[in-house]
Amino acid sequence: MKPSDGAEYSEYGVAARLRARAVAALEARRPAEALAAARALRTLRPDDPAARQLEAAARIARGEVDAARPLFEADGDAPADPEHAMLRARFEARESGPHRGLGIALDALARAPLDPALLSTAQELAAAAGRAPLALVLARRRLATGAAPDGAGLVQLAHRYLQAGWPETARELLLDVTSRAPEPPGARVLLGEACLASGRIEDARTAFEGARERGECSAAVWLGLARIAVALGHRDAARANVAAGLAEQPADARLLAFALVQGGDASDEDEWAARAERHLASG
């Protein structure tokens, strides 16, 4: 609420402009400009937590960690402002490890459970701390509250979970993603890979075939179906899927490599080897 007194209103306007300038400079990666605006704001309002928060963020961006710490610590271990808590959590994660930062983020979420920046930060730190179930809970909360990134961002997150060795976490997140419209490209293919990695063969086949029905006939789809056929002992079906994939993408290195490993008779292997050599020579 803006003050009614003329002088105070003028001060309010100056403070709002300084805050906006500091935020814009931080977003534009101009930390020196952000620091100047934040320090001016602190001169005008020395007890304003938002001013301390902005100066701390600017100093972190400039690499001035020691100067930032007392600014973060001024509000204790549980900053009341969600944005300040988010910055404090990231700072502590950087300085003391993800578990410390995660604790601060979770404490702040207890007071502001729908804050999108806090949800994002807590989810990121939970993943960094190796707490896959918690990361999944936070991802689902972001989906439920509309605070999640676009579908493509969630597919990338699931891919990181899969790479980190958390196929079940990736699978459960992708099940949520593929149940919502619009479904992002690649989500069903990655779901198939997550199902394969977690030993869910039939679920993987359903996912890959669903991707194919949606027109996503990428090398990953054919390769996934071929891997499923091999797992089930259907060698001919595996070769047929690889051949179908190579008919569409004859130079795909993954399909060629799979064909070399899982090839049939010697003449087939010679053919795949020749294709692989041509592919390597053209690259």
Side-chain angles (χ1 to χ4, degrees), residues 178-215:
T178 54
S179 69
R180 300 167 185 267
E183 181 180 315
R188 207 164 288 266
V189 175
L190 193 61
L191 174 59
E193 293 179 2
C195 289
L196 263 181
S198 56
R200 299 172 180 269
I201 303 299
E202 289 302 323
D203 290 342
R205 176 156 53 191
T206 299
F208 285 124
E209 289 179 346
R212 187 171 60 178
E213 290 170 2
R214 290 171 56 85

PDB file of all heavy atoms in Angstrom, residues 178-215:
ATOM      1  N   THR A 178       2.762 -37.020 -19.381  1.00  0.00           N
ATOM      2  CA  THR A 178       2.033 -37.537 -20.543  1.00  0.00           C
ATOM      3  C   THR A 178       0.530 -37.628 -20.296  1.00  0.00           C
ATOM      4  O   THR A 178      -0.229 -37.871 -21.245  1.00  0.00           O
ATOM      5  CB  THR A 178       2.559 -38.937 -20.938  1.00  0.00           C
ATOM      6  OG1 THR A 178       2.521 -39.806 -19.801  1.00  0.00           O
ATOM      7  CG2 THR A 178       3.986 -38.845 -21.456  1.00  0.00           C
ATOM      8  N   SER A 179       0.099 -37.431 -19.055  1.00  0.00           N
ATOM      9  CA  SER A 179      -1.338 -37.454 -18.774  1.00  0.00           C
ATOM     10  C   SER A 179      -1.970 -36.082 -18.951  1.00  0.00           C
ATOM     11  O   SER A 179      -3.187 -35.937 -18.818  1.00  0.00           O
ATOM     12  CB  SER A 179      -1.589 -37.959 -17.348  1.00  0.00           C
ATOM     13  OG  SER A 179      -1.146 -37.001 -16.392  1.00  0.00           O
ATOM     14  N   ARG A 180      -1.161 -35.079 -19.237  1.00  0.00           N
ATOM     15  CA  ARG A 180      -1.656 -33.708 -19.362  1.00  0.00           C
ATOM     16  C   ARG A 180      -1.513 -33.236 -20.801  1.00  0.00           C
ATOM     17  O   ARG A 180      -0.595 -33.622 -21.506  1.00  0.00           O
ATOM     18  CB  ARG A 180      -0.888 -32.764 -18.421  1.00  0.00           C
ATOM     19  CG  ARG A 180      -1.033 -33.159 -16.961  1.00  0.00           C
ATOM     20  CD  ARG A 180      -0.042 -32.429 -16.081  1.00  0.00           C
ATOM     21  NE  ARG A 180      -0.111 -32.901 -14.702  1.00  0.00           N
ATOM     22  CZ  ARG A 180      -0.862 -32.343 -13.759  1.00  0.00           C
ATOM     23  NH1 ARG A 180      -1.585 -31.281 -14.052  1.00  0.00           N
ATOM     24  NH2 ARG A 180      -0.889 -32.829 -12.538  1.00  0.00           N
ATOM     25  N   ALA A 181      -2.433 -32.377 -21.200  1.00  0.00           N
ATOM     26  CA  ALA A 181      -2.382 -31.816 -22.552  1.00  0.00           C
ATOM     27  C   ALA A 181      -1.871 -30.375 -22.465  1.00  0.00           C
ATOM     28  O   ALA A 181      -2.184 -29.647 -21.523  1.00  0.00           O
ATOM     29  CB  ALA A 181      -3.772 -31.858 -23.178  1.00  0.00           C
ATOM     30  N   PRO A 182      -1.088 -29.950 -23.460  1.00  0.00           N
ATOM     31  CA  PRO A 182      -0.569 -30.760 -24.568  1.00  0.00           C
ATOM     32  C   PRO A 182       0.655 -31.566 -24.137  1.00  0.00           C
ATOM     33  O   PRO A 182       1.460 -31.092 -23.340  1.00  0.00           O
ATOM     34  CB  PRO A 182      -0.178 -29.708 -25.606  1.00  0.00           C
ATOM     35  CG  PRO A 182       0.207 -28.508 -24.789  1.00  0.00           C
ATOM     36  CD  PRO A 182      -0.704 -28.530 -23.580  1.00  0.00           C
ATOM     37  N   GLU A 183       0.765 -32.757 -24.684  1.00  0.00           N
ATOM     38  CA  GLU A 183       1.908 -33.605 -24.352  1.00  0.00           C
ATOM     39  C   GLU A 183       3.131 -33.141 -25.132  1.00  0.00           C
ATOM     40  O   GLU A 183       3.076 -33.008 -26.359  1.00  0.00           O
ATOM     41  CB  GLU A 183       1.600 -35.056 -24.703  1.00  0.00           C
ATOM     42  CG  GLU A 183       2.729 -36.023 -24.373  1.00  0.00           C
ATOM     43  CD  GLU A 183       2.380 -37.453 -24.743  1.00  0.00           C
ATOM     44  OE1 GLU A 183       1.239 -37.882 -24.442  1.00  0.00           O
ATOM     45  OE2 GLU A 183       3.238 -38.136 -25.336  1.00  0.00           O
ATOM     46  N   PRO A 184       4.246 -32.861 -24.457  1.00  0.00           N
ATOM     47  CA  PRO A 184       5.431 -32.354 -25.164  1.00  0.00           C
ATOM     48  C   PRO A 184       6.081 -33.436 -26.017  1.00  0.00           C
ATOM     49  O   PRO A 184       6.044 -34.620 -25.664  1.00  0.00           O
ATOM     50  CB  PRO A 184       6.357 -31.906 -24.040  1.00  0.00           C
ATOM     51  CG  PRO A 184       5.930 -32.715 -22.863  1.00  0.00           C
ATOM     52  CD  PRO A 184       4.456 -32.936 -23.006  1.00  0.00           C
ATOM     53  N   PRO A 185       6.693 -33.066 -27.128  1.00  0.00           N
ATOM     54  CA  PRO A 185       7.391 -34.045 -27.973  1.00  0.00           C
ATOM     55  C   PRO A 185       8.500 -34.747 -27.191  1.00  0.00           C
ATOM     56  O   PRO A 185       9.195 -34.134 -26.389  1.00  0.00           O
ATOM     57  CB  PRO A 185       7.971 -33.182 -29.109  1.00  0.00           C
ATOM     58  CG  PRO A 185       7.160 -31.939 -29.106  1.00  0.00           C
ATOM     59  CD  PRO A 185       6.753 -31.706 -27.693  1.00  0.00           C
ATOM     60  N   GLY A 186       8.634 -36.033 -27.432  1.00  0.00           N
ATOM     61  CA  GLY A 186       9.708 -36.791 -26.801  1.00  0.00           C
ATOM     62  C   GLY A 186       9.368 -37.357 -25.448  1.00  0.00           C
ATOM     63  O   GLY A 186      10.108 -38.203 -24.923  1.00  0.00           O
ATOM     64  N   ALA A 187       8.248 -36.918 -24.850  1.00  0.00           N
ATOM     65  CA  ALA A 187       7.918 -37.379 -23.498  1.00  0.00           C
ATOM     66  C   ALA A 187       7.638 -38.871 -23.476  1.00  0.00           C
ATOM     67  O   ALA A 187       8.101 -39.593 -22.583  1.00  0.00           O
ATOM     68  CB  ALA A 187       6.720 -36.602 -22.959  1.00  0.00           C
ATOM     69  N   ARG A 188       6.906 -39.351 -24.471  1.00  0.00           N
ATOM     70  CA  ARG A 188       6.533 -40.770 -24.463  1.00  0.00           C
ATOM     71  C   ARG A 188       7.730 -41.659 -24.786  1.00  0.00           C
ATOM     72  O   ARG A 188       7.856 -42.775 -24.269  1.00  0.00           O
ATOM     73  CB  ARG A 188       5.389 -41.011 -25.449  1.00  0.00           C
ATOM     74  CG  ARG A 188       4.521 -42.191 -25.094  1.00  0.00           C
ATOM     75  CD  ARG A 188       3.212 -42.134 -25.853  1.00  0.00           C
ATOM     76  NE  ARG A 188       2.355 -41.093 -25.340  1.00  0.00           N
ATOM     77  CZ  ARG A 188       1.414 -41.263 -24.416  1.00  0.00           C
ATOM     78  NH1 ARG A 188       1.226 -42.472 -23.902  1.00  0.00           N
ATOM     79  NH2 ARG A 188       0.672 -40.265 -24.003  1.00  0.00           N
ATOM     80  N   VAL A 189       8.637 -41.158 -25.635  1.00  0.00           N
ATOM     81  CA  VAL A 189       9.857 -41.922 -25.933  1.00  0.00           C
ATOM     82  C   VAL A 189      10.706 -42.057 -24.680  1.00  0.00           C
ATOM     83  O   VAL A 189      11.200 -43.142 -24.349  1.00  0.00           O
ATOM     84  CB  VAL A 189      10.660 -41.246 -27.058  1.00  0.00           C
ATOM     85  CG1 VAL A 189      11.984 -41.981 -27.288  1.00  0.00           C
ATOM     86  CG2 VAL A 189       9.851 -41.210 -28.349  1.00  0.00           C
ATOM     87  N   LEU A 190      10.873 -40.952 -23.958  1.00  0.00           N
ATOM     88  CA  LEU A 190      11.665 -40.995 -22.729  1.00  0.00           C
ATOM     89  C   LEU A 190      10.983 -41.857 -21.672  1.00  0.00           C
ATOM     90  O   LEU A 190      11.663 -42.549 -20.897  1.00  0.00           O
ATOM     91  CB  LEU A 190      11.891 -39.576 -22.199  1.00  0.00           C
ATOM     92  CG  LEU A 190      12.940 -39.440 -21.100  1.00  0.00           C
ATOM     93  CD1 LEU A 190      14.312 -39.888 -21.595  1.00  0.00           C
ATOM     94  CD2 LEU A 190      13.011 -38.001 -20.600  1.00  0.00           C
ATOM     95  N   LEU A 191       9.656 -41.851 -21.655  1.00  0.00           N
ATOM     96  CA  LEU A 191       8.928 -42.727 -20.742  1.00  0.00           C
ATOM     97  C   LEU A 191       9.260 -44.184 -21.045  1.00  0.00           C
ATOM     98  O   LEU A 191       9.480 -44.991 -20.134  1.00  0.00           O
ATOM     99  CB  LEU A 191       7.427 -42.482 -20.862  1.00  0.00           C
ATOM    100  CG  LEU A 191       6.513 -43.419 -20.059  1.00  0.00           C
ATOM    101  CD1 LEU A 191       6.817 -43.359 -18.576  1.00  0.00           C
ATOM    102  CD2 LEU A 191       5.042 -43.078 -20.324  1.00  0.00           C
ATOM    103  N   GLY A 192       9.324 -44.519 -22.336  1.00  0.00           N
ATOM    104  CA  GLY A 192       9.704 -45.881 -22.707  1.00  0.00           C
ATOM    105  C   GLY A 192      11.094 -46.236 -22.216  1.00  0.00           C
ATOM    106  O   GLY A 192      11.321 -47.344 -21.704  1.00  0.00           O
ATOM    107  N   GLU A 193      12.033 -45.299 -22.341  1.00  0.00           N
ATOM    108  CA  GLU A 193      13.398 -45.563 -21.891  1.00  0.00           C
ATOM    109  C   GLU A 193      13.451 -45.717 -20.372  1.00  0.00           C
ATOM    110  O   GLU A 193      14.184 -46.569 -19.845  1.00  0.00           O
ATOM    111  CB  GLU A 193      14.312 -44.440 -22.363  1.00  0.00           C
ATOM    112  CG  GLU A 193      14.477 -44.393 -23.886  1.00  0.00           C
ATOM    113  CD  GLU A 193      15.359 -43.259 -24.342  1.00  0.00           C
ATOM    114  OE1 GLU A 193      15.876 -42.515 -23.487  1.00  0.00           O
ATOM    115  OE2 GLU A 193      15.535 -43.110 -25.567  1.00  0.00           O
ATOM    116  N   ALA A 194      12.668 -44.909 -19.660  1.00  0.00           N
ATOM    117  CA  ALA A 194      12.635 -45.019 -18.199  1.00  0.00           C
ATOM    118  C   ALA A 194      12.028 -46.357 -17.772  1.00  0.00           C
ATOM    119  O   ALA A 194      12.500 -46.998 -16.820  1.00  0.00           O
ATOM    120  CB  ALA A 194      11.839 -43.856 -17.609  1.00  0.00           C
ATOM    121  N   CYS A 195      10.989 -46.798 -18.481  1.00  0.00           N
ATOM    122  CA  CYS A 195      10.378 -48.094 -18.175  1.00  0.00           C
ATOM    123  C   CYS A 195      11.361 -49.231 -18.439  1.00  0.00           C
ATOM    124  O   CYS A 195      11.464 -50.176 -17.640  1.00  0.00           O
ATOM    125  CB  CYS A 195       9.108 -48.282 -19.004  1.00  0.00           C
ATOM    126  SG  CYS A 195       7.730 -47.232 -18.513  1.00  0.00           S
ATOM    127  N   LEU A 196      12.090 -49.124 -19.548  1.00  0.00           N
ATOM    128  CA  LEU A 196      13.095 -50.144 -19.846  1.00  0.00           C
ATOM    129  C   LEU A 196      14.153 -50.203 -18.751  1.00  0.00           C
ATOM    130  O   LEU A 196      14.546 -51.277 -18.299  1.00  0.00           O
ATOM    131  CB  LEU A 196      13.760 -49.848 -21.191  1.00  0.00           C
ATOM    132  CG  LEU A 196      13.239 -50.568 -22.426  1.00  0.00           C
ATOM    133  CD1 LEU A 196      14.041 -50.160 -23.655  1.00  0.00           C
ATOM    134  CD2 LEU A 196      13.286 -52.075 -22.248  1.00  0.00           C
ATOM    135  N   ALA A 197      14.625 -49.027 -18.330  1.00  0.00           N
ATOM    136  CA  ALA A 197      15.687 -48.970 -17.324  1.00  0.00           C
ATOM    137  C   ALA A 197      15.225 -49.514 -15.980  1.00  0.00           C
ATOM    138  O   ALA A 197      16.051 -49.977 -15.185  1.00  0.00           O
ATOM    139  CB  ALA A 197      16.181 -47.536 -17.165  1.00  0.00           C
ATOM    140  N   SER A 198      13.919 -49.470 -15.725  1.00  0.00           N
ATOM    141  CA  SER A 198      13.407 -49.973 -14.450  1.00  0.00           C
ATOM    142  C   SER A 198      12.832 -51.381 -14.581  1.00  0.00           C
ATOM    143  O   SER A 198      12.199 -51.880 -13.654  1.00  0.00           O
ATOM    144  CB  SER A 198      12.344 -49.017 -13.885  1.00  0.00           C
ATOM    145  OG  SER A 198      11.292 -48.821 -14.812  1.00  0.00           O
ATOM    146  N   GLY A 199      13.058 -52.016 -15.750  1.00  0.00           N
ATOM    147  CA  GLY A 199      12.647 -53.400 -15.939  1.00  0.00           C
ATOM    148  C   GLY A 199      11.184 -53.602 -16.252  1.00  0.00           C
ATOM    149  O   GLY A 199      10.681 -54.731 -16.173  1.00  0.00           O
ATOM    150  N   ARG A 200      10.476 -52.556 -16.642  1.00  0.00           N
ATOM    151  CA  ARG A 200       9.050 -52.648 -16.958  1.00  0.00           C
ATOM    152  C   ARG A 200       8.895 -52.805 -18.477  1.00  0.00           C
ATOM    153  O   ARG A 200       8.583 -51.852 -19.187  1.00  0.00           O
ATOM    154  CB  ARG A 200       8.306 -51.410 -16.449  1.00  0.00           C
ATOM    155  CG  ARG A 200       8.390 -51.236 -14.931  1.00  0.00           C
ATOM    156  CD  ARG A 200       7.813 -49.892 -14.504  1.00  0.00           C
ATOM    157  NE  ARG A 200       7.884 -49.707 -13.072  1.00  0.00           N
ATOM    158  CZ  ARG A 200       6.922 -50.048 -12.214  1.00  0.00           C
ATOM    159  NH1 ARG A 200       5.813 -50.621 -12.667  1.00  0.00           N
ATOM    160  NH2 ARG A 200       7.064 -49.845 -10.919  1.00  0.00           N
ATOM    161  N   ILE A 201       9.105 -54.022 -18.961  1.00  0.00           N
ATOM    162  CA  ILE A 201       9.178 -54.278 -20.395  1.00  0.00           C
ATOM    163  C   ILE A 201       7.871 -53.960 -21.104  1.00  0.00           C
ATOM    164  O   ILE A 201       7.854 -53.264 -22.134  1.00  0.00           O
ATOM    165  CB  ILE A 201       9.590 -55.744 -20.664  1.00  0.00           C
ATOM    166  CG1 ILE A 201      10.934 -56.056 -19.992  1.00  0.00           C
ATOM    167  CG2 ILE A 201       9.670 -56.009 -22.163  1.00  0.00           C
ATOM    168  CD1 ILE A 201      12.075 -55.226 -20.482  1.00  0.00           C
ATOM    169  N   GLU A 202       6.760 -54.466 -20.590  1.00  0.00           N
ATOM    170  CA  GLU A 202       5.478 -54.243 -21.257  1.00  0.00           C
ATOM    171  C   GLU A 202       5.088 -52.768 -21.241  1.00  0.00           C
ATOM    172  O   GLU A 202       4.542 -52.249 -22.217  1.00  0.00           O
ATOM    173  CB  GLU A 202       4.386 -55.100 -20.613  1.00  0.00           C
ATOM    174  CG  GLU A 202       4.533 -56.583 -20.905  1.00  0.00           C
ATOM    175  CD  GLU A 202       4.526 -56.884 -22.409  1.00  0.00           C
ATOM    176  OE1 GLU A 202       3.784 -56.216 -23.158  1.00  0.00           O
ATOM    177  OE2 GLU A 202       5.275 -57.784 -22.831  1.00  0.00           O
ATOM    178  N   ASP A 203       5.356 -52.091 -20.120  1.00  0.00           N
ATOM    179  CA  ASP A 203       5.069 -50.657 -20.052  1.00  0.00           C
ATOM    180  C   ASP A 203       5.927 -49.900 -21.059  1.00  0.00           C
ATOM    181  O   ASP A 203       5.472 -48.921 -21.676  1.00  0.00           O
ATOM    182  CB  ASP A 203       5.334 -50.118 -18.647  1.00  0.00           C
ATOM    183  CG  ASP A 203       4.315 -50.617 -17.628  1.00  0.00           C
ATOM    184  OD1 ASP A 203       3.246 -51.086 -18.051  1.00  0.00           O
ATOM    185  OD2 ASP A 203       4.605 -50.543 -16.418  1.00  0.00           O
ATOM    186  N   ALA A 204       7.180 -50.344 -21.222  1.00  0.00           N
ATOM    187  CA  ALA A 204       8.062 -49.705 -22.199  1.00  0.00           C
ATOM    188  C   ALA A 204       7.521 -49.884 -23.614  1.00  0.00           C
ATOM    189  O   ALA A 204       7.510 -48.944 -24.412  1.00  0.00           O
ATOM    190  CB  ALA A 204       9.467 -50.293 -22.093  1.00  0.00           C
ATOM    191  N   ARG A 205       7.060 -51.095 -23.924  1.00  0.00           N
ATOM    192  CA  ARG A 205       6.509 -51.327 -25.260  1.00  0.00           C
ATOM    193  C   ARG A 205       5.286 -50.443 -25.501  1.00  0.00           C
ATOM    194  O   ARG A 205       5.137 -49.860 -26.585  1.00  0.00           O
ATOM    195  CB  ARG A 205       6.132 -52.800 -25.433  1.00  0.00           C
ATOM    196  CG  ARG A 205       5.467 -53.052 -26.784  1.00  0.00           C
ATOM    197  CD  ARG A 205       5.584 -54.470 -27.242  1.00  0.00           C
ATOM    198  NE  ARG A 205       5.124 -55.446 -26.260  1.00  0.00           N
ATOM    199  CZ  ARG A 205       5.335 -56.758 -26.393  1.00  0.00           C
ATOM    200  NH1 ARG A 205       6.007 -57.223 -27.439  1.00  0.00           N
ATOM    201  NH2 ARG A 205       4.894 -57.592 -25.478  1.00  0.00           N
ATOM    202  N   THR A 206       4.425 -50.337 -24.508  1.00  0.00           N
ATOM    203  CA  THR A 206       3.246 -49.474 -24.644  1.00  0.00           C
ATOM    204  C   THR A 206       3.654 -48.035 -24.926  1.00  0.00           C
ATOM    205  O   THR A 206       3.055 -47.357 -25.771  1.00  0.00           O
ATOM    206  CB  THR A 206       2.396 -49.543 -23.364  1.00  0.00           C
ATOM    207  OG1 THR A 206       1.951 -50.881 -23.161  1.00  0.00           O
ATOM    208  CG2 THR A 206       1.198 -48.619 -23.459  1.00  0.00           C
ATOM    209  N   ALA A 207       4.686 -47.560 -24.216  1.00  0.00           N
ATOM    210  CA  ALA A 207       5.132 -46.174 -24.397  1.00  0.00           C
ATOM    211  C   ALA A 207       5.713 -45.959 -25.795  1.00  0.00           C
ATOM    212  O   ALA A 207       5.383 -44.982 -26.481  1.00  0.00           O
ATOM    213  CB  ALA A 207       6.160 -45.821 -23.328  1.00  0.00           C
ATOM    214  N   PHE A 208       6.591 -46.869 -26.230  1.00  0.00           N
ATOM    215  CA  PHE A 208       7.205 -46.708 -27.548  1.00  0.00           C
ATOM    216  C   PHE A 208       6.167 -46.828 -28.665  1.00  0.00           C
ATOM    217  O   PHE A 208       6.200 -46.064 -29.641  1.00  0.00           O
ATOM    218  CB  PHE A 208       8.315 -47.740 -27.744  1.00  0.00           C
ATOM    219  CG  PHE A 208       9.577 -47.433 -26.989  1.00  0.00           C
ATOM    220  CD1 PHE A 208      10.114 -48.358 -26.102  1.00  0.00           C
ATOM    221  CD2 PHE A 208      10.230 -46.224 -27.158  1.00  0.00           C
ATOM    222  CE1 PHE A 208      11.283 -48.082 -25.406  1.00  0.00           C
ATOM    223  CE2 PHE A 208      11.400 -45.928 -26.466  1.00  0.00           C
ATOM    224  CZ  PHE A 208      11.923 -46.871 -25.587  1.00  0.00           C
ATOM    225  N   GLU A 209       5.254 -47.775 -28.532  1.00  0.00           N
ATOM    226  CA  GLU A 209       4.225 -47.905 -29.559  1.00  0.00           C
ATOM    227  C   GLU A 209       3.292 -46.705 -29.553  1.00  0.00           C
ATOM    228  O   GLU A 209       2.831 -46.260 -30.607  1.00  0.00           O
ATOM    229  CB  GLU A 209       3.443 -49.205 -29.344  1.00  0.00           C
ATOM    230  CG  GLU A 209       4.271 -50.444 -29.682  1.00  0.00           C
ATOM    231  CD  GLU A 209       3.513 -51.740 -29.460  1.00  0.00           C
ATOM    232  OE1 GLU A 209       2.453 -51.691 -28.805  1.00  0.00           O
ATOM    233  OE2 GLU A 209       3.992 -52.793 -29.931  1.00  0.00           O
ATOM    234  N   GLY A 210       3.041 -46.148 -28.370  1.00  0.00           N
ATOM    235  CA  GLY A 210       2.239 -44.930 -28.296  1.00  0.00           C
ATOM    236  C   GLY A 210       2.927 -43.772 -28.994  1.00  0.00           C
ATOM    237  O   GLY A 210       2.287 -42.971 -29.677  1.00  0.00           O
ATOM    238  N   ALA A 211       4.251 -43.681 -28.812  1.00  0.00           N
ATOM    239  CA  ALA A 211       5.006 -42.626 -29.497  1.00  0.00           C
ATOM    240  C   ALA A 211       4.925 -42.809 -31.010  1.00  0.00           C
ATOM    241  O   ALA A 211       4.764 -41.838 -31.756  1.00  0.00           O
ATOM    242  CB  ALA A 211       6.462 -42.650 -29.029  1.00  0.00           C
ATOM    243  N   ARG A 212       5.021 -44.047 -31.464  1.00  0.00           N
ATOM    244  CA  ARG A 212       4.950 -44.308 -32.906  1.00  0.00           C
ATOM    245  C   ARG A 212       3.575 -43.931 -33.455  1.00  0.00           C
ATOM    246  O   ARG A 212       3.466 -43.341 -34.532  1.00  0.00           O
ATOM    247  CB  ARG A 212       5.253 -45.773 -33.185  1.00  0.00           C
ATOM    248  CG  ARG A 212       5.359 -46.101 -34.673  1.00  0.00           C
ATOM    249  CD  ARG A 212       5.872 -47.500 -34.886  1.00  0.00           C
ATOM    250  NE  ARG A 212       4.999 -48.517 -34.282  1.00  0.00           N
ATOM    251  CZ  ARG A 212       5.213 -49.813 -34.370  1.00  0.00           C
ATOM    252  NH1 ARG A 212       6.280 -50.274 -35.003  1.00  0.00           N
ATOM    253  NH2 ARG A 212       4.382 -50.666 -33.809  1.00  0.00           N
ATOM    254  N   GLU A 213       2.524 -44.245 -32.703  1.00  0.00           N
ATOM    255  CA  GLU A 213       1.174 -43.894 -33.131  1.00  0.00           C
ATOM    256  C   GLU A 213       0.977 -42.384 -33.204  1.00  0.00           C
ATOM    257  O   GLU A 213       0.163 -41.897 -33.986  1.00  0.00           O
ATOM    258  CB  GLU A 213       0.155 -44.514 -32.173  1.00  0.00           C
ATOM    259  CG  GLU A 213       0.060 -46.031 -32.281  1.00  0.00           C
ATOM    260  CD  GLU A 213      -0.759 -46.641 -31.158  1.00  0.00           C
ATOM    261  OE1 GLU A 213      -1.280 -45.864 -30.330  1.00  0.00           O
ATOM    262  OE2 GLU A 213      -0.871 -47.886 -31.114  1.00  0.00           O
ATOM    263  N   ARG A 214       1.717 -41.666 -32.386  1.00  0.00           N
ATOM    264  CA  ARG A 214       1.633 -40.194 -32.405  1.00  0.00           C
ATOM    265  C   ARG A 214       2.500 -39.586 -33.508  1.00  0.00           C
ATOM    266  O   ARG A 214       2.572 -38.374 -33.637  1.00  0.00           O
ATOM    267  CB  ARG A 214       2.082 -39.636 -31.049  1.00  0.00           C
ATOM    268  CG  ARG A 214       1.128 -39.910 -29.907  1.00  0.00           C
ATOM    269  CD  ARG A 214       1.742 -39.531 -28.564  1.00  0.00           C
ATOM    270  NE  ARG A 214       2.170 -38.141 -28.543  1.00  0.00           N
ATOM    271  CZ  ARG A 214       1.389 -37.115 -28.252  1.00  0.00           C
ATOM    272  NH1 ARG A 214       0.116 -37.337 -27.950  1.00  0.00           N
ATOM    273  NH2 ARG A 214       1.844 -35.879 -28.246  1.00  0.00           N
ATOM    274  N   GLY A 215       3.160 -40.432 -34.284  1.00  0.00           N
ATOM    275  CA  GLY A 215       3.978 -39.937 -35.388  1.00  0.00           C
ATOM    276  C   GLY A 215       5.415 -39.676 -35.011  1.00  0.00           C
ATOM    277  O   GLY A 215       6.173 -39.123 -35.812  1.00  0.00           O
TER     278      GLY A 215
END
